[in-house]
Amino acid sequence: KLVGEKLRDVPITRCYTSTLARAYTTAELALAGRDIEITRHDELMEQHFGIYEGLPFDEIKGRTFEEALHTLVAGDIPGGESYPVMAKRAIEFVKAHLEDHVLFVAHNGPLAALTTYFLGLGLQEAGKFSYGQGTYTMIEWSEDFAKLRQFNA
């Protein structure tokens, strides 16, 4: 609901979310009272962590937080997908669906990958971005030029 209040005066014509219920529910709450179609897509899902899915960082091969994070972002994940594979999936989807005033509701991994891509940063910079619940980030995109308008607003 908080995001909906923040986005009240922002024109939005379409909304795409990941297929997870929490992303779809966030979109529903944010767009309550507006006649905007919300469409779910697997391409906006978080990285699939394979054998590490659901484990706390300290249990991932008994590593420190930094080592575990490096494994998940830069390493090969048995039964899962690498961060670059997830990033490519999300970026290709968003590029194919760039329309006027579109809202994408996703998870930290895809959002960080999208932010680095559209701001012209390398994917290795994605770990520097974190998205708070109840916030939104706005990137204005026109003619192959991006401008970060809001971050965690």
Side-chain angles (χ1 to χ4, degrees), residues 13-51:
T13 56
R14 294 242 346 136
C15 178
Y16 300 101
T17 78
S18 86
T19 54
L20 285 184
R22 68 177 186 254
Y24 188 82
T25 299
T26 297
E28 284 183 315
L29 291 170
L31 299 173
R34 298 168 84 169
D35 187 25
I36 299 169
E37 181 181 358
I38 303 170
T39 309
R40 298 176 192 202
H41 289 275
D42 287 332
E43 292 87 345
L44 295 174
M45 290 287 291
E46 182 59 271
Q47 177 183 1
H48 178 48
F49 295 112
I51 64 170

Side-chain angles (χ1 to χ4, degrees), residues 15-116:
C15 178
Y16 300 101
T17 78
S18 86
T19 54
L20 285 184
R22 68 177 186 254
Y24 188 82
T25 299
T26 297
E28 284 183 315
L29 291 170
L31 299 173
R34 298 168 84 169
D35 187 25
I36 299 169
E37 181 181 358
I38 303 170
T39 309
R40 298 176 192 202
H41 289 275
D42 287 332
E43 292 87 345
L44 295 174
M45 290 287 291
E46 182 59 271
Q47 177 183 1
H48 178 48
F49 295 112
I51 64 170
Y52 304 124
E53 196 74 45
L55 291 179
F57 279 118
D58 61 350
E59 290 183 25
I60 298 175
K61 294 187 175 179
R63 298 177 176 199
T64 66
F65 175 82
E66 291 79 14
E67 290 172 329
L69 187 60
H70 178 76
T71 296
L72 296 176
V73 173
D76 291 324
I77 299 177
E81 69 181 332
S82 69
Y83 192 81
V85 168
M86 178 279 302
K88 182 177 185 213
R89 150 173 67 77
I91 291 166
E92 287 179 358
F93 176 81
V94 169
K95 284 174 47 179
H97 292 86
L98 283 178
E99 306 159 17
D100 287 340
H101 310 292
V102 65
L103 174 66
F104 295 96
V105 180
H107 312 281
N108 200 78
L111 292 174
L114 290 164
T115 301
T116 59

